[in-house]
């Protein structure tokens, strides 16, 4: 397999990756279906932006956002069933149980940890001694600009955290478990070692609680853009959307079995960050995972970070303490 | 270990008539594709096929099963396939509602979410316990009898899939 040169890298040398937009499969079916799956993503984004900008305070609350989030996920489940991107990523009963187990862990144990030991605690302490007067320049900007800047700042933090996970071994130990997923669907973003789910949850969200409407709008921007990255739905994604935002297409490349392809598309929301930092690969991949697509069991997912960390540390110490015992290569 | 009734939580049992009657060799040959999957080991001893799976692929039709046995029983003019298979996933899903109820009771911040997920997993277990035996029976029927639905045979005595199987009186 020769692969395709993208900048200084060769993509697809280990496993097939479609590079570029022109070769991507299109939505098949009648004109309504094609139109629906072409404009669905922009329409949802527009609808949510309008809702959070103009809805009265009586309904523009966090509980409404949670309700919309759950309803939207149910809708995406239906779309995965109606128009899957790949049959080989189809949801099975076992995959659903495993996925929802991780979702449940995230909503209960990890959320509890985050609330009591994570960034929410730091945010609460910082906000107590925070002079909001000094942020008048920010709060005087249009609501949509505030929300965009919040998501942009959050995504820059996410980008570097994620890129760090792929380049610094201790963080990779935590993140690698997520890369053993062999198919994408709407809940796959939650699959991983709990240490990673905690780390990736360390964000800046809590720092913007003093701007409730902007924070909710930012949350809906994130949801209506980044939620698709793990979805098994075939869209005719518009080119301008592909240029600006992270998509399933981009994220499937990131999860590809191909090593070089997996070291691309690190952002969560704005793919133009990857374009700016030189890590964007436009394309799509069907074959995903690590070690030839080996599927990890839940016990291994839970322990891999620690067992591999122990093995690596032991080997490192042996090399340092008994260098002569290590055979020369 | 024989745990009648309790092991119904994680064990799928069934039988189907082979139409037309087949020998065990013919039956296992027809099912061979079903077991040609990554992480699957099989052994055939007379009229019994034993399998064991480790980390099966997501799209493996038998991904929920960890191990099991399939036996071809021969009558005077008929034959039938009898199977008993263990599922770690069914057991895991069965245990999850208890786990998340415990989480709801122990963590004051997770009461609602813990109980909601406990309910979801209880519903998922019931759905899976009905769906997965139906799917595997459908898959076996399709491979052995074509599209024709095989009539269910007489109830099979509870059997521990891990225990040695009784040999059929009539070998092909």
């Amino acid at each position: 397999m020769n692969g395709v040169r993208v900048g200084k890298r060769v993509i697809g040398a280990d496993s097939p990756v479609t590079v570029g937009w022109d070769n991507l499969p299109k939505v098949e079916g009648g004109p309504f279906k094609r139109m629906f799956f072409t404009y669905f993503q922009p329409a949802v984004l527009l609808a949510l932006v309008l809702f959070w900008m103009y809805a009265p305070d009586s309904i523009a609350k966090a509980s409404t956002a949670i309700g919309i989030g759950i309803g939207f996920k149910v809708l995406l489940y239906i779309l995965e069933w109606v128009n899957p991107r790949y049959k080989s990523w189809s949801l099975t009963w076992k995959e659903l149980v495993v996925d929802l187990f991780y979702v449940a862990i995230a909503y209960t144990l990890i959320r509890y940890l985050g609330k009591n030991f994570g960034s929410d605690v730091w945010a609460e302490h910082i906000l107590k001694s925070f002079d909001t007067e000094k942020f008048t320049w920010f709060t005087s900007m249009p609501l949509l600009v505030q929300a965009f800047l919040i998501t942009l700042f959050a995504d820059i933090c996410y980008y570097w955290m994620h890129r760090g996970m792929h380049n610094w071994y201790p963080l990779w130990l935590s993140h690698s478990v997520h890369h053993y997923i062999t198919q994408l669907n709407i809940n796959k973003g939650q699959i991983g070692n709990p240490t990673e789910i905690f780390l990736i949850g360390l964000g800046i969200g809590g720092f913007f609680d003093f701007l409730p409407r902007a924070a909710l709008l930012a949350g809906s921007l994130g949801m209506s853009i980044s939620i698709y990255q793990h979805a098994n739905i075939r869209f005719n994604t518009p080119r301008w959307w592909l240029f600006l935002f992270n998509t399933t297409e981009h994220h499937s490349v990131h999860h590809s079995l191909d090593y070089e392809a997996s070291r691309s598309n690190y952002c969560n929301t704005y793919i133009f960050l990857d374009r700016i930092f030189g890590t964007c690969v436009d394309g799509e991949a069907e074959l995903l995972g690590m070690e030839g697509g080996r599927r990890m069991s839940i016990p291994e997912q839970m322990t891999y970070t620690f067992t591999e960390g122990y093995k690596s540390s032991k080997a490192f110490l042996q090399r340092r303490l008994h260098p002569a015992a290590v055979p020369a290569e | 270990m024989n745990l009648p009734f309790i092991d119904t939580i994680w064990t799928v049992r069934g039988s189907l008539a082979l139409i037309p009657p087949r020998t065990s060799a013919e039956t296992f040959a027809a099912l061979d594709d079903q077991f040609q999957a990554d992480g699957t080991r099989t052994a055939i001893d007379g009229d019994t096929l034993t399998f064991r799976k480790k980390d099966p692929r997501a799209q493996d039709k038998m991904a929920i099963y960890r191990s099991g046995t399939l036996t071809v029983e021969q009558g005077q003019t008929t034959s039938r396939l009898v199977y008993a298979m263990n599922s770690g996933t069914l057991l895991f899903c069965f245990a999850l509602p208890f786990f998340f109820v415990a989480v709801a009771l122990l963590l004051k911040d997770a009461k609602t979410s813990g109980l909601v997920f406990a309910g979801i997993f209880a519903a998922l277990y019931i759905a899976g316990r009905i769906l997965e035996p139906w799917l595997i029976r459908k898959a076996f029927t399709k491979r052995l009898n074509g599209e024709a639905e095989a009539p269910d045979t007489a109830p099979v005595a509870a059997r521990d899939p891990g225990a040695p199987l009784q040999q059929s009186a009539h070998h092909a």
Side-chain angles (χ1 to χ4, degrees), chain A:
Chain A
M1 204 174 295
N2 295 323
V4 177
R5 180 164 288 281
V6 179
K8 293 178 181 175
R9 299 192 292 164
V10 176
I11 302 295
D14 306 331
S15 176
V17 176
T18 304
V19 176
W21 302 133
D22 294 330
N23 299 322
L24 295 185
K26 299 288 181 193
V27 174
E28 293 175 0
F32 174 76
K33 186 179 177 186
R34 280 185 276 121
M35 188 180 79
F36 181 87
F37 286 100
T38 300
Y39 297 109
F40 179 82
Q41 296 171 97
V44 168
L45 175 63
L46 181 64
L48 284 174
V49 166
L50 291 175
F51 175 80
W52 289 110
M53 284 185 71
Y54 299 110
D57 287 342
S58 58
I59 57 169
K61 299 180 293 191
S63 57
T64 308
I66 292 168
I68 290 173
I70 293 170
F72 193 51
K73 269 203 167 183
V74 172
L75 175 61
L76 294 182
Y77 269 125
I78 296 168
L79 296 186
E80 283 189 341
W81 179 65
V82 169
N83 197 35
R85 184 168 291 264
Y86 290 114
K87 292 271 186 198
S88 63
W89 295 354
S90 293
L91 190 63
T92 64
W93 177 80
K94 181 180 176 181
E95 289 293 309
L96 181 61
V97 170
V98 173
D99 294 351
L100 286 180
F101 167 69
Y102 280 97
V103 172
I105 290 285
Y107 270 91
T108 54
L109 298 175
I110 303 291
R111 181 166 285 187
Y112 176 81
L113 283 174
K115 201 170 179 180
N116 292 284
F117 307 103
S119 52
D120 286 358
V121 183
W122 316 337
E124 195 180 327
H125 282 289
I126 290 168
L127 285 177
K128 274 180 187 170
S129 55
F130 194 64
D131 183 4
T132 51
E133 291 290 315
K134 289 182 180 173
F135 272 76
T136 311
W137 62 272
F138 186 83
T139 54
S140 60
M141 285 193 285
L143 193 61
L144 190 57
V145 177
Q146 289 179 45
F148 170 71
L149 290 176
I150 290 171
T151 55
L152 182 63
F153 184 49
D155 209 29
I156 290 170
C157 294
Y158 181 95
Y159 174 92
W160 287 106
M161 166 71 96
H162 191 187
R163 191 165 167 177
M165 285 177 160
H166 279 259
N167 287 279
W168 190 48
Y169 187 68
L171 287 177
W172 172 246
L173 277 177
S174 177
H175 182 53
S176 57
V177 174
H178 178 59
H179 274 267
Y180 277 87
I181 61 172
T182 55
Q183 60 182 66
L184 297 183
N185 64 50
I186 199 66
N187 287 318
K188 287 290 187 231
Q190 303 287 351
I191 306 287
N193 186 272
T195 56
E196 188 213 353
I197 308 298
F198 176 73
L199 282 174
I200 214 89
L202 296 178
I204 57 162
F207 291 101
F208 293 94
D209 284 352
F210 70 102
L211 300 168
R213 185 61 79 102
L216 285 168
L217 183 54
S220 75
L221 276 179
M223 187 192 83
S224 55
I225 296 170
S226 60
I227 198 169
Y228 304 106
Q229 63 182 298
H230 288 101
N232 179 22
I233 304 169
R234 171 64 64 198
F235 289 114
N236 287 338
T237 310
R239 295 239 173 184
W240 61 269
W241 185 284
L242 288 164
F243 184 79
L244 293 174
F245 302 137
N246 194 16
T247 61
T248 317
E249 289 90 335
H250 291 108
H251 206 59
S252 66
V253 173
H254 179 73
H255 274 281
S256 165
L257 271 169
D258 184 69
Y259 174 73
E260 276 298 332
S262 73
R263 296 171 58 75
S264 65
N265 303 346
Y266 293 115
C267 74
N268 189 44
T269 307
Y270 299 118
I271 199 68
F272 63 75
L273 291 176
D274 279 275
R275 296 187 195 286
I276 291 167
F277 296 125
T279 49
C280 181
V281 173
D282 293 316
E284 182 175 301
E286 180 180 6
L287 300 180
L288 315 180
M290 305 264 293
E291 294 182 42
R294 177 172 81 82
R295 189 183 181 283
M296 262 190 187
S297 64
I298 288 178
E300 191 178 3
Q301 287 170 333
M302 289 286 171
T303 56
Y304 183 83
T305 300
F306 309 107
T307 55
E308 285 301 303
Y310 172 74
K311 282 185 215 166
S312 310
S313 305
K314 194 176 164 188
F316 174 78
L317 286 173
Q318 280 176 341
R319 280 198 305 273
R320 294 297 295 264
L321 297 174
H322 307 289
V326 180
E329 291 186 12

Side-chain angles (χ1 to χ4, degrees), chain B residues 99-160:
Chain B
F99 175 74
F100 282 103
V101 165
V103 168
L105 295 174
L106 293 171
L107 300 182
K108 285 176 188 173
D109 295 335
K111 189 178 177 187
T112 305
S113 52
L115 292 176
V116 166
F117 279 109
I120 289 172
F121 286 116
L124 265 179
Y125 175 77
I126 294 167
R129 191 63 188 78
I130 296 167
L131 176 72
E132 291 296 332
W134 180 77
L135 285 175
I136 198 64
R137 181 181 173 77
K138 192 177 162 195
F140 285 161
T141 304
K142 192 174 176 184
R143 288 187 184 278
L144 293 169
N145 299 342
E147 297 299 329
E149 181 67 29
D152 204 352
T153 58
V156 180
R159 175 185 296 147
D160 176 9

Side-chain angles (χ1 to χ4, degrees), chain B residues 66-83:
Chain B
R66 189 166 46 198
S67 61
T69 56
L70 290 80
T71 305
V72 177
E73 295 183 350
Q74 302 289 351
Q76 291 290 341
T77 56
T78 60
S79 61
R80 66 174 186 158
L81 177 75
V82 181
Y83 53 89

